[in-house]
Amino acid sequence: MSTPSVVPQRHRVVIIGSGFGGLTAAKALKRADADVTVISKTTSHLFQPLLYQVATGILSEGEIAPATRLILRKQKNTRVLLGEVEDIDLTAGTVTSKLIDMRTVTPFDSLIVAAGAQQSYFGNDQFATYAPGMKTIDDALELRGRILGAFEAAEVATDHAERERRLTFVVVGAGPTGVELAGQIAELAERTLAGAFRTIEPRDCRVILLDAAPAVLPPMGEKLGLKAQRRLEKLGVEVRLNAMVTAVDYQGITIKEKDGSEHRIQCACKVWAAGVQASPLGKMIAEQAEGTEVDRAGRVLVQPDLTVKGHPHVFVVGDLMSVPDVPGMAQGAIQGATYATKVIKRALKGHDDPTQRAPFHYFNKGSMATVSRFDAVAQVGKLEFGGLLAWFAWLVLHLYYLIGHKNRITTIIAWFITFLGRGRGQMAITSQMVYARLAMNRVAEQQRGALAAAEQAEHAEQEAG
């Protein structure tokens, strides 16, 4: 009697995250002899550098966040799972994710963790209630509601001080996101909203850009930082450096100057773009890999081949990896994911020796930031330039990295309308945009309270029994 043949199990690759790193890795494994599973807590691939344009009404969320499942639908070896990762067991080789009340355990032979980063308030998480960050679609939509809602509230305000407060916008953080957002709020008021109100003049609003650092765009150097600062000031943006935020509440914000003096800015709309904190998954991984640590931002100090010590098939890429001279930008995530998938594909062919792997090498392609329409700053190698040329270079680069021909076409049309004309196609706001996050936080608190009460009651019953 013949013994039935056993079909060998294909190599299993699990990718956590659907950002630049996660999506790049999944697409690179399209023809690999492996079963790929992408686990993400969102349904879309977010083009984060353009979030500020969603917040200021230029683009819709669909144009910068196409559905991951649809992007990868032609990859027959790839499965997409929606869920938040609760546990990574490096010893058992499993990832546990949760969606609503359903848990899924996914085994892996190779793991690529590209979970990204979240907004950091430097230990002052209470600031988030009144100063949303700029990391998710929810953040951008909430900020659009808050920005446009501030003008609407100012129109009906009868008290002069309250009207001024409503027309004061504060952006904390003078990095690329802060600079781009401050510039667009100023242009929104100056161009798009001109003549749309009767009680107020939108161009009279105050836009303030704050940073504890002594310069605008510090990573891009003094020359480009000063160029961006002068352009912002020409737009009417007040740039205040060496100013540390010490308090944020409904009425406004308190800052501490370099000389130790404190000042109060009464403002309705506050935006936090001042720092990032890596996903908690970084710490979870480091605790299981002996000799592996995380840095102050929670990023994993990986090996030269982007793996964690003792686990040659567990790769950490993107904002979650800590590698000298690799910035937390899209290029770092893309190049890290490309490197990891090349290693995995070599291993599938039996050509990989973990002890002989060439280390990951990052190629710096430069950085860019827009300041206003027709004006940007760019750094490519030792070349630094600004103005219209840098702006066109920024447009082309961002169009190239957008996913889907339809999104590229609609983005070009939206940019044409906004930058050559005065209109913006995404000016609708709802109360849900502004209040949904706070309502969800309250529901979560109530659920935690109910769970704690149930646990106490169960414990009391056990003691009584």
Side-chain angles (χ1 to χ4, degrees):
M1 185 175 181
S2 60
T3 304
S5 59
V6 178
V7 178
Q9 179 178 275
R10 290 218 300 181
H11 192 88
R12 299 163 299 182
V13 181
V14 172
I15 301 168
I16 300 176
S18 60
F20 286 107
L23 188 65
T24 298
K27 293 174 76 173
L29 294 170
K30 180 178 181 179
R31 293 181 177 85
D33 184 22
D35 293 319
V36 181
T37 302
V38 178
I39 304 175
S40 176
K41 61 182 179 181
T42 65
T43 61
S44 59
H45 162 68
L46 177 60
F47 194 88
Q48 206 171 81
L50 290 178
L51 268 179
Y52 78 96
Q53 294 197 4
V54 174
T56 52
I58 299 174
L59 299 177
S60 73
E61 59 272 27
E63 286 158 349
I64 70 165
T68 308
R69 188 175 299 282
L70 297 183
I71 297 171
L72 299 174
R73 63 181 165 185
K74 293 184 179 180
Q75 293 191 204
K76 300 305 181 182
N77 68 335
T78 303
R79 181 189 186 197
V80 178
L81 290 180
L82 179 65
E84 185 154 9
V85 173
E86 285 190 327
D87 182 57
I88 299 173
D89 190 327
L90 299 184
T91 303
T94 60
V95 175
T96 303
S97 57
K98 179 183 178 184
L99 177 62
I100 311 174
D101 59 350
M102 299 174 287
R103 285 179 171 80
T104 303
V105 179
T106 308
F108 66 82
D109 299 303
S110 292
L111 175 65
I112 300 176
V113 187
Q118 57 199 23
Q119 202 70 60
S120 172
Y121 290 86
F122 307 109
N124 297 291
D125 291 346
Q126 69 276 11
F127 291 177
T129 301
Y130 304 106
M134 183 65 82
K135 287 295 178 185
T136 67
I137 286 293
D138 285 335
D139 291 339
L141 292 177
E142 179 177 353
L143 286 170
R144 187 200 297 172
R146 287 175 178 256
I147 291 167
L148 297 178
F151 287 104
E152 297 294 343
E155 174 76 355
V156 300
T158 55
D159 180 74
H160 178 71
E162 177 62 11
R163 181 176 294 169
E164 284 194 340
R165 189 181 78 86
R166 295 286 180 178
L167 289 176
T168 300
F169 301 86
V170 174
V171 179
V172 182
T177 299
V179 166
E180 290 168 339
L181 187 59
Q184 277 307 313
I185 294 174
E187 289 201 333
L188 171 70
E190 176 72 24
R191 294 175 56 79
T192 306
L193 298 180
F197 295 87
R198 299 296 173 262
T199 305
I200 63 170
E201 184 57 61
R203 70 181 60 186
D204 292 337
C205 73
R206 291 179 68 194
V207 182
I208 304 171
L209 180 64
L210 299 175
D211 202 300
V216 172
L217 298 174
M220 298 183 72
E222 183 180 0
K223 179 183 174 182
L224 292 181
L226 286 173
K227 186 183 287 289
Q229 181 175 341
R230 285 194 293 267
R231 178 56 183 161
L232 286 172
E233 290 171 342
K234 189 175 180 180
L235 287 172
V237 177
E238 301 175 32
V239 180
R240 302 179 67 167
L241 304 172
N242 295 305
M244 181 183 294
V245 176
T246 58
V248 179
D249 55 43
Y250 176 77
Q251 291 296 326
I253 196 166
T254 303
I255 60 173
K256 186 177 183 180
E257 304 284 1
K258 189 176 182 180
D259 61 6
S261 62
E262 286 196 341
H263 299 282
R264 179 77 174 167
I265 301 175
Q266 297 295 100
C267 55
C269 185
K270 287 82 68 177
V271 185
W272 193 272
V276 294
Q277 180 73 24
S279 164
L281 295 182
K283 183 179 179 182
M284 182 187 297
I285 291 170
E287 288 174 346
Q288 297 181 61
E290 187 177 351
T292 300
E293 299 178 350
V294 294
D295 63 13
R296 292 180 60 186
R299 298 173 300 183
V300 180
L301 277 65
V302 294
Q303 300 298 298
D305 62 355
L306 304 186
T307 63
V308 295
K309 199 168 186 178
H311 298 273
H313 301 291
V314 176
F315 301 85
V316 179
V317 304
D319 290 341
L320 198 57
M321 70 178 185
S322 179
V323 178
D325 302 320
V326 178
M329 298 169 60
Q331 275 303 318
I334 291 170
Q335 292 182 35
T338 300
Y339 171 89
T341 52
K342 285 181 178 178
V343 172
I344 291 172
K345 286 189 282 189
R346 283 199 300 270
L348 291 175
K349 296 177 181 178
H351 300 154
D352 176 53
D353 179 356
T355 63
Q356 300 298 319
R357 288 175 186 168
F360 169 69
H361 175 70
Y362 174 69
F363 177 66
N364 188 355
K365 296 184 178 181
S367 55
M368 299 179 179
T370 58
V371 185
S372 63
R373 71 189 190 111
F374 309 144
D375 203 331
V377 291
Q379 183 182 57
V380 182
K382 295 183 178 180
L383 180 64
E384 297 180 347
F385 58 102
L388 186 62
L389 178 61
W391 187 74
F392 274 121
W394 183 94
L395 292 181
V396 171
L397 181 69
H398 284 67
L399 278 175
Y400 175 79
Y401 282 109
L402 270 177
I403 300 295
H405 297 302
K406 175 183 175 295
N407 286 341
R408 293 190 184 104
I409 292 170
T410 55
T411 296
I412 290 173
I413 294 171
W415 285 349
F416 183 87
I417 292 170
T418 301
F419 299 135
L420 296 183
R422 293 176 177 267
R424 298 183 184 222
Q426 305 297 324
M427 298 293 284
I429 63 173
T430 68
S431 57
Q432 185 177 354
M433 289 179 177
V434 179
Y435 301 115
R437 179 173 57 90
L438 299 177
M440 290 172 65
N441 288 344
R442 283 197 293 269
V443 170
E445 289 175 4
Q446 290 172 357
Q447 289 178 337
R448 285 194 293 268
L451 180 61
E455 289 177 349
Q456 289 180 354
E458 183 180 354
H459 182 67
E461 287 181 4
Q462 291 175 349
E463 288 187 341

